[in-house]
Amino acid sequence: MPVPLFNLTPNLKVSRLCLGTMTFGEQNSLPQSFRLLDEAFNAGINFFDSAEMYPVPQRAETQGRSEEYLGRWIKQRKIPRDRIVLATKVAGPSGQMTWIRGGPKCLDGRNITEAIDSSLKRMQIDYIDLYQIHWPDRYVPMFGETEYDPTRQFCSVGVEEQLDALGRAVSAGKIRYIGVSNETPYGVMKFSQVAERVAHYPKIVSVQNSYNLLCRTFDAGIAECCHHERISLLAYSPLAMGILSGKYFAADGGPVDARLNVFKGRYSEGESRYNLSNNIIKAAALEYLGIAIKYGLHPVSLAIAFVLSHPLVASAIFGATKSWELDEVLKACMIELSPEIIAEINKIHASMLIGDSIRLGENHGNGGLMNNLQCFWNPK
């Protein structure tokens, strides 16, 4: 069965699975990237997400390759432009990626305009369907942080200037729609309210935030904003960087070429989000894997199906470095979780919220779970 579609806007239908490209140019070579893109497109995925800073971990030598590979695939395969939806992102201030416009130092109109033009050139296309601010110009807790610290706030570029630059790009035909990423309820409402006041300011249509069984912060506040403002969630990291697949619980720590193993110590943004040295995270992940085994589901199917069951989720953005990984995700979009499974998931989530690692660990004290999961770690 083809991957179902979702109306992100009245004129933009996206597949409920979106292939993320941040491994293209680092973990995946050009031929490998082409093969994954071919297989995803032939399976009915029309939605592809990238960013100017990709691949990760970010390096000056590889910056932009993910967009470049995606563009070369479109050109060499002669993919009709109206058959695919391309999303990419402008990097926010970091102070670390000096090779991207000096940092970038800020996310002002000039930086946004320059980033759009560079992405169009790298992908060899005339327009971008969905252009997103990768993270806010202002300080916000993100990439594993959970608490806001007002002492870290600094002078930032106003939303008005950003929307003006994006609006000019829309008018010029360079982008069709805009979205934000790694945003907060305040940010979503600020963008929405400012856009309402000025006719040529575009309205954000999506929020690309992390959402999975181990990270449901979206539901705590931003979900209400999205519901009332008619903004969809593009859920990235639906497998919690592969943890929810079960592969990192193997006796040897999982495949040597798995992301968190290959880049151990070099990928702090990723490692800080889902640290298995945290007893709560580890215990909850094992409990979710236990649910998958109990109901005869692949752990990937459970994780992806849970994300897609959310009424505000338009698409789950996933990464794959191998064909069999892509196959498992494709199967997952056909799974519908029963009320019983959802109830068990919510029970684990409630224990996570109160930090009850003892209760979470009640059901995996023996090696049975590990033995049952072994068949998923080294497929084909």
Side-chain angles (χ1 to χ4, degrees):
M1 292 180 63
V3 178
L5 299 177
F6 182 95
N7 288 322
L8 189 60
T9 76
N11 299 312
L12 192 64
K13 289 186 176 181
V14 299
S15 52
R16 299 219 64 205
L17 294 174
C18 173
L19 180 60
T21 63
M22 73 178 190
T23 62
F24 294 1
E26 184 67 61
Q27 285 180 269
N28 288 112
S29 65
L30 182 64
Q32 291 171 339
S33 301
F34 272 33
R35 183 170 63 251
L36 289 167
L37 288 163
D38 287 341
E39 292 170 352
F41 183 68
N42 292 334
I45 292 178
N46 75 342
F47 195 14
F48 303 93
D49 179 72
S50 194
E52 66 168 340
M53 63 170 272
Y54 290 167
V56 297
Q58 54 268 32
R59 295 188 290 138
E61 297 80 8
T62 59
Q63 185 259 320
R65 277 189 194 170
S66 298
E67 287 185 330
E68 178 190 340
Y69 284 13
L70 185 54
R72 290 175 66 175
W73 172 74
I74 295 168
K75 187 173 183 178
Q76 291 187 28
R77 295 293 194 261
K78 296 181 170 58
I79 305 294
R81 186 62 185 84
D82 61 357
R83 292 279 309 279
I84 56 175
V85 176
L86 297 180
T88 193
K89 302 181 281 292
V90 56
S94 71
Q96 300 175 2
M97 294 182 289
T98 54
W99 52 89
I100 302 180
R101 299 181 301 282
K105 294 181 179 178
C106 68
L107 199 54
D108 59 9
R110 182 189 64 82
N111 271 281
I112 290 173
T113 300
E114 187 175 330
I116 292 172
D117 290 341
S118 296
S119 289
L120 289 171
K121 183 177 181 180
R122 277 190 293 269
M123 292 191 284
Q124 305 177 68
I125 55 177
D126 296 323
Y127 66 91
I128 296 163
D129 294 290
L130 178 64
Y131 197 68
Q132 306 153 103
I133 293 176
H134 206 154
W135 60 88
D137 184 83
R138 69 189 193 282
Y139 156 73
V140 295
M142 59 183 179
F143 302 138
E145 297 178 330
T146 57
E147 296 182 359
Y148 179 80
D149 180 0
T151 65
R152 295 174 61 185
Q153 189 56 263
F154 50 83
C155 182
S156 58
V157 176
V159 168
E160 293 83 0
E161 180 175 349
Q162 295 174 336
L163 285 175
D164 183 67
L166 292 167
R168 284 186 277 108
V170 171
S171 298
K174 295 179 180 181
I175 60 178
R176 296 178 64 193
Y177 300 98
I178 68 166
V180 291
S181 181
N182 297 298
E183 259 298 359
T184 66
Y186 169 82
V188 169
M189 293 309 300
K190 188 70 173 179
F191 271 95
S192 297
Q193 291 170 355
V194 171
E196 287 179 356
R197 296 200 297 262
V198 181
H200 72 275
Y201 285 177
K203 180 183 183 297
I204 59 173
V205 301
S206 61
V207 175
Q208 185 180 146
N209 276 19
S210 177
Y211 189 74
N212 56 61
L213 288 166
L214 294 173
C215 177
R216 294 169 63 172
T217 53
F218 173 81
D219 292 327
I222 198 170
E224 181 184 11
C225 301
C226 288
H227 173 66
H228 290 295
E229 297 298 319
R230 298 183 179 180
I231 297 168
S232 296
L233 173 63
L234 303 178
Y236 76 77
S237 199
L239 296 176
M241 298 190 171
I243 287 175
L244 292 170
S245 72
K247 60 185 176 184
Y248 292 109
F249 292 100
D252 59 359
V256 293
D257 60 351
R259 187 195 322 169
L260 295 182
N261 289 335
V262 172
F263 303 119
K264 189 172 184 178
R266 294 172 49 203
Y267 191 30
S268 58
E269 292 173 2
E271 293 170 349
S272 64
R273 298 189 199 189
Y274 310 107
N275 193 333
L276 289 179
S277 64
N278 181 313
N279 290 334
I280 301 296
I281 295 294
K282 182 176 181 179
L286 286 169
E287 290 289 347
Y288 289 130
L289 296 172
I291 290 177
I293 296 300
K294 177 180 177 180
Y295 289 95
L297 297 172
H298 192 289
V300 170
S301 293
L302 177 74
I304 297 290
F306 168 75
V307 171
L308 293 179
S309 71
H310 197 295
L312 296 176
V313 169
S315 187
I317 303 176
F318 70 97
T321 58
K322 300 178 180 63
S323 294
W324 68 263
E325 293 174 340
L326 173 60
D327 290 340
E328 292 300 341
V329 174
L330 289 168
K331 294 173 186 175
C333 75
M334 302 304 167
I335 301 294
E336 185 172 345
L337 301 181
S338 68
E340 291 78 15
I341 295 178
I342 294 295
E344 292 198 33
I345 286 173
N346 288 335
K347 183 178 179 181
I348 295 171
H349 177 62
S351 292
M352 281 189 68
L353 292 178
I354 62 174
D356 193 347
S357 59
I358 296 177
R359 184 177 301 174
L360 282 170
E362 287 176 350
N363 298 324
H364 55 78
N366 56 44
L369 175 62
M370 297 298 186
N371 293 333
N372 286 326
L373 284 171
Q374 190 64 43
C375 63
F376 298 126
W377 293 330
N378 299 297
K380 303 179 182 64

